Amino acid sequence: MEQRLPENFGSFSRTCNGDIPALSVHDSPVTTSGAAAMGDFSPSHSFDSLDEVDKFLEVLSQSHEAKSDPPPVPDAVESLFKTVESIISNYDKSNSKFGQDEKEDASLVAHLNRLSKVIKILGDFSTAESDLVATFNRASTIQHLAMCFLDSEFRTVLNSFKRSSSFATGNCVPDSGAGPPPPMSSKQSSFSRNFHESNNQISDSENSTEEDDFPGYQPEEIYNMSKIAAAMISSGYQSECCLVYGSVRRIALNNKLEKLGHVNLSAEEINKMDWETLEGEIAAAIDVIHRCSSVLFSVERNLCNAVFQNHPSIYTEIFSDLASNVIDRFFNFANAITLTKCSAEKLFKFLDIYETLRDLGSEIENLSPTVKSEIYDTIIRLGQAAVSMFCDLENSIRRDVSRTPVPSGAVHPLTRYTMNYLKYACEYKDTLEQVFLQKQKTEGENWDSSSSKSDDSGSKSGSGSVGGANEDGTPKTSPFSIQLNTVMDLLDENLEMKSNLYKDPALRNIFLMNNGRYILQKIKSSTEIHDMMGVTWCRRRSSDLRKYHKGYTRETWGRVLQCLRHDGIQVNGKMAKAVVKERFKMFNNAIEDIHKTQSTWVVSDEQMQSELRVSVSAVVIPAYRSFLGRFQQCLTHGRQTEKYIKYQPEDIENLIEGLFDGNPTSMARKKT
């Protein structure tokens, strides 16, 4: 029966404990002939045995092709085996490492190349020839022993982080694309505080030195790794070589991420965190992702390319696996984040991490289709969470049903919260447009034809963002702008309801003026919101403010002007002194009452406060001056005049100037 030579004799074991029989050391000369893995090796002297091995392999190949009987195995083949054993034994005896003696290293690689050829050609034979079977088994055993040695040496070099900045700075394998990490976004990442910005400044200074040390290999170490990798791959141990390299570098990258501040947390740990702690973890993760995409991935790619420079397909696969491991770590973190309870305040951190992961771009494209699909699913979930959080702002407004009016008619906290929230949110306008458009496509929402038309004309390709208002001043419609208008409408309704809590109609108008002015100023101060709301909306707001202004003037100063009417004072052609006295008395009481009450009211916007005072003075002072000039002679000079004419026009003007400060002051009597 025909005997087939074993195909996988001596399958690789990283431990090699007891798998290889004890081998004796033979006194064969250690030569330096053959082809080295990293290039042609020039022998220092001839080695006839290797030439005989080459001739034997040539004849053996011809025999296989001709399907003729194989030639006998020459003694030179056994000499090859003994030489490999001797070289490995010398390494063990001297406790030397691969890379310390270049000639010894090259000799080992050259003989291993011949050994691999012997195994390959013998493996093609199906024969009962006992000599070939024995030679194949012997060659496989020797090769396995050599691979165990190279595996150990490969691990040793890979684990030697000698704090060298030469590779990271590009001296070993230059990469013109590498550069310093980009500055973090200036967006307001936290709605409640500026943790993100201050934290970045600290981490940048602390970690810059550490990044210079990464990955931590001397140039000669990288050169030795490339020789070992080439020898293992040419010997058919590609998977074992890649396994060693990948496992060590994966650990190194994970350790680096933790040094940079990103702890690998479980979903359960993340879910139990309070928001303040989790917010810090998100900020740290975002910072590390930026460093990975701009520095660490580039350095790791260069290292991988240098070690496997003659095997581009292997280099690509290994680096892709390493990058995938790191990116998976971040996406697992992001996945866990999406499972936490959503709230409007978390929006900005979610948008930060959404943008960061979305913008990884080419790093994601190099991954496997399955991993890419999972990553894109995570990005979509982050976008959906962001939409949910922004929409939760509507619920926050609806839930604010306090029955206690804000003192002095000041800007309501809900107004401040909502407008500041919207201002910060619109710094992420393009991203919010993108996630809302994705929501529209996913849910198949129908928008009216006019909205669709304006959206098509104003949207950026693929993002759904709008590019300002239409020519008539109306906003261009997009899913996000529609949501923004919905929030503004809800805020208006809520403020209108809260204004009814004031019993004084004048104070009700002051409240609406304060809040309306605050909203309008916030809109105008943000180009993004202003463009989305449109000029027409702003004009309508300004018109509303004028309406509230007139309403206040009418409710407060109408009764004052009633006191200064000239009609009804003359009776039968004579001045009715009693009526004059009553009018002056009513005027004084009204002014004092207004000052006492409205000096505690607040108009926070200085320009609006000044406009109010000027408009009131323009109406009241001329009327009072006219009334005083015409009717003060009806009063007897002396005590009667002091009793009824308490204020001069200048005094009234000063009293008006004291309104809306929020600070009650004592009324100083101004005698004529």
Side-chain angles (χ1 to χ4, degrees), residues 7-124:
E7 294 181 355
N8 295 309
F9 178 85
S11 60
F12 189 70
S13 169
R14 293 196 332 230
T15 58
C16 299
N17 293 329
D19 293 339
I20 306 299
L23 298 172
S24 60
V25 178
H26 300 273
D27 297 326
S28 299
V30 177
T31 65
T32 55
S33 62
M38 304 304 295
D40 292 336
F41 178 75
S42 299
S44 59
H45 57 275
S46 64
F47 186 41
D48 296 336
S49 295
L50 285 182
D51 291 338
E52 290 183 38
V53 171
D54 290 337
K55 292 177 182 178
F56 167 70
L57 293 175
E58 184 178 355
V59 174
L60 193 64
S61 297
Q62 292 172 353
S63 299
H64 181 262
E65 292 174 0
K67 297 182 179 180
S68 59
D69 293 336
V73 179
D75 293 339
V77 173
E78 179 60 24
S79 179
L80 170 66
F81 298 160
K82 292 179 179 180
T83 300
V84 174
E85 288 179 317
S86 178
I87 295 173
I88 296 174
S89 178
N90 286 341
Y91 279 113
D92 292 337
K93 283 183 177 180
S94 61
N95 289 323
S96 61
K97 300 294 182 182
F98 190 93
Q100 293 179 347
D101 187 332
E102 188 170 350
K103 289 184 178 180
E104 189 88 340
D105 299 340
S107 178
L108 175 62
V109 171
H111 284 79
L112 286 177
N113 284 342
R114 287 291 180 17
L115 186 62
S116 297
K117 291 179 181 179
V118 170
I119 294 172
K120 182 179 183 303
I121 295 177
L122 288 178
D124 292 336

Side-chain angles (χ1 to χ4, degrees), residues 401-447:
V401 291
S402 172
R403 306 301 298 175
T404 303
V406 175
S408 307
V411 177
H412 198 281
L414 177 64
T415 304
R416 294 184 185 276
Y417 173 85
T418 303
M419 294 312 300
N420 284 323
Y421 191 94
L422 293 179
K423 181 179 180 182
Y424 293 138
C426 282
E427 292 183 14
Y428 297 85
K429 186 189 74 170
D430 290 344
T431 300
L432 284 168
E433 290 284 6
Q434 185 177 21
V435 297
F436 271 94
L437 187 63
Q438 182 62 45
K439 174 178 179 288
Q440 175 188 342
K441 292 178 179 178
T442 302
E443 298 183 358
E445 294 176 2
N446 295 318
W447 306 86

Side-chain angles (χ1 to χ4, degrees), residues 326-366:
V326 174
I327 293 174
D328 274 350
R329 175 169 171 163
F330 289 121
F331 277 92
N332 289 336
F333 175 77
N335 257 328
I337 295 293
T338 63
L339 300 177
T340 61
K341 184 179 179 181
C342 292
S343 64
E345 290 78 10
K346 296 180 181 180
L347 172 66
F348 305 106
K349 281 297 181 189
F350 271 65
L351 289 175
D352 279 341
I353 198 167
Y354 174 91
E355 291 180 342
T356 302
L357 298 179
R358 177 200 63 191
D359 295 342
L360 281 174
S362 60
E363 304 299 345
I364 296 177
E365 289 303 318
N366 292 329

Side-chain angles (χ1 to χ4, degrees), residues 204-374:
D204 284 346
S205 60
E206 287 181 348
N207 293 321
S208 59
T209 302
E210 289 186 8
E211 285 182 5
D212 288 342
D213 295 333
F214 189 77
Y217 297 112
Q218 298 286 354
E220 58 270 20
E221 291 173 332
I222 297 173
Y223 176 65
N224 289 334
M225 284 191 284
S226 71
K227 290 196 296 181
I228 294 173
M232 293 183 72
I233 292 170
S234 65
S235 297
Y237 284 75
Q238 172 183 324
S239 59
E240 291 79 7
C241 177
C242 295
L243 179 64
V244 172
Y245 183 90
S247 62
V248 174
R249 290 312 304 162
R250 186 178 297 111
I251 293 172
L253 277 171
N254 287 337
N255 290 341
K256 183 63 178 178
L257 296 182
E258 292 185 4
K259 285 182 180 180
L260 289 174
H262 179 58
V263 181
N264 200 13
L265 300 168
S266 68
E268 184 179 2
E269 289 173 317
I270 291 173
N271 195 47
K272 290 180 179 179
M273 282 185 179
D274 60 85
W275 173 239
E276 183 175 347
T277 304
L278 183 55
E279 191 177 18
E281 292 294 336
I282 294 174
I286 290 171
D287 187 52
V288 174
I289 292 171
H290 278 290
R291 294 177 189 279
C292 284
S293 62
S294 62
V295 177
L296 298 186
F297 281 163
S298 177
V299 171
E300 193 65 40
R301 184 187 290 108
N302 290 347
L303 174 63
C304 193
N305 187 30
V307 173
F308 299 95
Q309 56 184 302
N310 295 325
H311 305 277
S313 61
I314 297 176
Y315 139 71
T316 301
E317 183 178 353
I318 290 179
F319 175 73
S320 177
D321 288 343
L322 289 172
S324 176
N325 174 68
V326 174
I327 293 174
D328 274 350
R329 175 169 171 163
F330 289 121
F331 277 92
N332 289 336
F333 175 77
N335 257 328
I337 295 293
T338 63
L339 300 177
T340 61
K341 184 179 179 181
C342 292
S343 64
E345 290 78 10
K346 296 180 181 180
L347 172 66
F348 305 106
K349 281 297 181 189
F350 271 65
L351 289 175
D352 279 341
I353 198 167
Y354 174 91
E355 291 180 342
T356 302
L357 298 179
R358 177 200 63 191
D359 295 342
L360 281 174
S362 60
E363 304 299 345
I364 296 177
E365 289 303 318
N366 292 329
L367 305 179
S368 68
T370 302
V371 174
K372 279 196 293 186
S373 177
E374 293 175 355

Side-chain angles (χ1 to χ4, degrees), residues 513-560:
M513 284 178 68
N514 273 323
N515 286 271
R517 180 75 169 196
Y518 184 86
I519 292 171
L520 186 59
Q521 291 300 97
K522 283 291 182 180
I523 296 292
K524 288 183 176 180
S525 67
S526 171
T527 303
E528 292 83 4
I529 307 182
H530 186 270
D531 286 347
M532 296 180 77
M533 300 308 296
V535 176
T536 301
W537 185 93
C538 292
R539 287 173 180 167
R540 188 169 62 250
R541 278 285 175 175
S542 297
S543 177
D544 290 341
L545 288 178
R546 288 193 293 272
K547 181 181 70 175
Y548 301 143
H549 187 146
K550 290 178 181 179
Y552 161 77
T553 303
R554 182 178 62 254
E555 295 293 341
T556 297
W557 299 99
R559 59 192 176 96
V560 173

